[in-house]
Amino acid sequence: MFNLKSLALRAALLALCGLPICASHASVVLAQDGEEKPLPNEVQAHYTKYEFRIPMRDGLHLFTAVYVPKDVASGKIYPFLIQRTPYSVAPYGPDNYRKHLGPSPIFEKEGYIFVYQDVRGRFQSEGTFIEMTPHKDVKKSAKDVDESTDSYDTIDWLLKNAPGNNGKAGLYGISYPGFYVAASMIDSHPALKACSPQAPVTDLYMGDDAYHNGAFMLSANFGFYTFFKPQTTPTLPSGRFGDFDFGTNDAYDFFLEMGTVGNAKAKYLKDSNFYWDNQADNPTYNDFWKSRNIAAHLKNVKCAVMTVGGLFDAEDIMGPYRVFRAVGESNSSTPNLLVEGPWFHGGWSAPGGGDHLGAVNFAAKNSDYFNEEILSPFFREYLKGAEDPKLAKITIFETGTNVWRRYDSWPPKNVESRKLYFAAKGKLAFEAPKDSGIDEYVSDPAKSVSAVPVTSGTRMPYISGSANPVDFRGQLP
């Protein structure tokens, strides 16, 4: 039996980092005497870390960690590669270094000035955090701020104060950080040359995270808001996130016993998290959600854009398509690319990943291919002046044949639309059924059939897991 608490913590970690959990690099080595000694920090060996509190136009300051290649001392210059996040830029302190930098190992090797920023109102940054910050199309004074102004002010300050920069900047981020990329592209700074919003949270109600086209994602929301809570800044990570005690190893039983959605607050969350209240108290697509749909504001985007998504993303599967479409519709002269691969949420960031999903084999390390042959050449072209890698407008992985396809439009030209019909014996067919018929089954919450272990989050198992009811709960309807 799986351990629900540990899996809930894993889900929290995934959300916190915007990255999949994967095997970490060894951090110790055995000396000749058998004593464990830490390996040298490769980042610290090649980069110098600075910490700044960058002033915004309204007078508040955002905490920013900057890693500069050491060879700028010899005259080399590098572009900025920036990630803005609500999940902490830890570790804090100029002598405490991250273990890895950038979207994947190739970026750290190629060299950028890596920038990590706590967004407004989170951890060491001043101000008030607002979920999915509504964009302000009209700004009448310096007090009218949003993510586009914070990004603009950050880049402007870095250009003038960070050593060894070449005057160009790029942004990247997965999931919630992906939202900050999309929101930062609007009315962008002239030095912002390339952006990659990846699995961007785009419209929380219409398919991303909170509601999937109106269906409240109970397990995902509850698991997230047990640790993602309002903060009084400045603050440091507590080291205790994800410690909610479910009291059971069976998430289905937990939520069945909890009862209605209202009981989540009454029994467990109490008054600790108004973020949860906002989700639960707005069950229809009202102004609260509409104001947070960033796709409606993606105008005056002047930087090149590569939007990335996973074909099997259980959280933000719609966001990449909406961002890609919105950028294309309102910014006809902006280079606008879309990549969709065989990944769960954020799966492309795992070195060596993308070769399978559960028992489904995709025959290659597609994450490495994406990072080395698609994402890295994209940023090299626009930030370092490298030659045009001739990337396709649409690059999408075709499952079954397990090959990457390239198109100049989406949907592809000359596509024939065909209808699929329900057929007898649980099958699908392209031909309309000749005979009418029905299938029926009994749905009893007290005797559920759960295909895979359901934890507090929307992870990849339920997409590729077995539909055999005895695999987990051992119950039949």
Side-chain angles (χ1 to χ4, degrees):
M1 179 70 74
F2 69 95
N3 183 280
L4 179 60
K5 183 176 179 181
S6 65
L7 284 174
L9 176 59
R10 181 179 183 276
L13 280 164
L14 283 158
L16 184 85
C17 301
L19 301 173
I21 298 297
C22 56
S24 62
H25 298 288
S27 58
V28 296
V29 64
L30 288 177
Q32 290 185 350
D33 58 5
E35 180 184 355
E36 287 187 349
K37 294 185 177 180
L39 289 172
N41 186 309
E42 289 296 315
V43 173
Q44 190 168 9
H46 297 97
Y47 290 82
T48 301
K49 181 183 179 183
Y50 301 88
E51 293 185 336
F52 304 109
R53 297 187 182 275
I54 298 180
M56 301 293 105
R57 64 189 63 185
D58 63 347
L60 297 183
H61 296 78
L62 302 189
F63 185 90
T64 309
V66 180
Y67 294 79
V68 180
K70 289 188 174 180
D71 58 7
V72 299
S74 62
K76 279 200 168 186
I77 56 175
Y78 295 90
F80 297 107
L81 196 53
I82 304 167
Q83 183 182 88
R84 306 182 63 237
T85 177
Y87 298 133
S88 169
V89 303
Y92 296 93
D95 297 324
N96 297 322
Y97 282 68
R98 298 172 70 97
K99 292 183 179 180
H100 308 287
L101 297 174
S104 73
I106 191 172
F107 286 84
E108 186 179 318
K109 294 176 182 177
E110 290 178 344
Y112 290 82
I113 299 175
F114 295 99
V115 179
Y116 298 89
Q117 184 176 75
D118 286 335
V119 296
R120 184 178 290 256
R122 296 295 291 177
F123 295 97
Q124 288 294 297
S125 285
E126 298 172 348
T128 301
F129 176 78
I130 301 174
E131 278 222 277
M132 295 288 290
T133 315
H135 180 78
K136 298 178 180 179
D137 288 320
V138 178
K139 299 174 175 66
K140 298 180 180 180
S141 73
K143 297 297 183 182
D144 290 326
V145 295
D146 54 27
E147 300 311 327
S148 70
T149 62
D150 283 355
S151 177
Y152 190 105
D153 294 348
T154 295
I155 293 172
D156 199 62
W157 189 94
L158 288 169
L159 291 169
K160 299 170 183 175
N161 294 277
N165 75 81
N166 72 352
K168 297 180 180 181
L171 279 158
Y172 77 98
I174 299 173
S175 194
Y176 217 148
F179 158 77
Y180 289 102
V181 177
S184 297
M185 301 187 308
I186 307 166
D187 300 324
S188 52
H189 193 288
L192 184 60
K193 301 299 183 182
C195 283
S196 183
Q198 303 177 2
V201 185
T202 305
D203 189 328
L204 274 172
Y205 191 92
M206 300 301 289
D208 289 332
D209 287 302
Y211 288 79
H212 283 196
N213 292 327
F216 185 67
M217 303 299 287
L218 173 61
S219 179
N221 285 322
F222 187 85
F224 185 69
Y225 290 109
T226 57
F227 80 90
F228 191 82
K229 299 179 179 180
Q231 297 176 337
T232 301
T233 56
T235 189
L236 293 171
S238 67
R240 296 180 59 250
F241 78 86
D243 62 352
F244 180 82
D245 185 4
F246 284 81
T248 176
N249 284 334
D250 192 323
Y252 190 93
D253 281 350
F254 172 82
F255 289 113
L256 188 64
E257 175 63 26
M258 185 180 77
T260 65
V261 171
N263 285 339
K265 179 176 181 177
K267 289 184 176 181
Y268 304 110
L269 300 175
K270 307 298 181 180
D271 292 321
S272 67
N273 199 335
F274 64 85
Y275 302 151
W276 163 271
D277 299 341
N278 289 336
Q279 307 290 318
D281 293 346
N282 290 281
T284 61
Y285 195 56
N286 56 22
D287 288 342
F288 177 84
W289 300 113
K290 292 176 183 178
S291 69
R292 286 162 169 75
N293 173 19
I294 197 62
H297 303 277
L298 291 175
K299 302 170 183 177
N300 200 23
V301 177
K302 299 176 182 178
C303 60
V305 181
M306 175 183 284
T307 308
V308 182
L311 295 171
F312 305 100
D313 191 334
E315 296 175 50
D316 299 303
I317 196 167
M318 298 305 301
Y321 297 103
R322 288 197 170 103
V323 168
F324 170 75
R325 185 179 301 114
V327 170
E329 290 175 348
S330 299
N331 309 272
S332 59
S333 62
T334 295
N336 184 32
L337 312 181
L338 176 68
V339 180
E340 286 280 339
W343 302 299
F344 54 88
H345 186 64
W348 50 91
S349 65
D355 61 337
H356 72 283
L357 186 73
V360 182
N361 192 305
F362 298 128
K365 296 188 182 302
N366 292 293
S367 298
D368 291 348
Y369 172 79
F370 162 72
N371 283 296
E372 295 171 10
E373 304 297 330
I374 300 176
L375 186 63
S376 178
F378 169 75
F379 277 120
R380 282 203 307 266
E381 177 188 1
Y382 290 103
L383 300 186
K384 294 190 171 188
E387 66 176 302
D388 182 356
K390 307 298 183 184
L391 298 173
K393 187 174 185 65
I394 310 294
T395 305
I396 189 166
F397 188 83
E398 183 178 271
T399 59
T401 57
N402 290 343
V403 297
W404 287 92
R405 301 292 186 188
R406 294 162 182 80
Y407 304 99
D408 58 9
S409 65
W410 190 259
K413 297 176 182 177
N414 303 318
V415 170
E416 177 187 357
S417 295
R418 300 183 65 184
K419 292 182 179 179
L420 272 172
Y421 299 90
F422 290 113
K425 299 181 180 180
K427 295 183 178 180
L428 296 172
F430 286 108
E431 297 78 28
K434 297 179 180 179
D435 301 319
S436 61
I438 63 170
D439 289 319
E440 62 182 21
Y441 61 91
V442 176
S443 177
D444 183 354
K447 296 181 179 180
S448 70
V449 177
S450 189
V452 291
V454 182
T455 66
S456 63
T458 46
R459 296 294 116 204
M460 57 282 197
Y462 89 76
I463 296 178
S464 62
S466 167
N468 185 346
V470 300
D471 281 355
F472 174 46
R473 291 182 61 84
Q475 298 177 335
L476 294 173

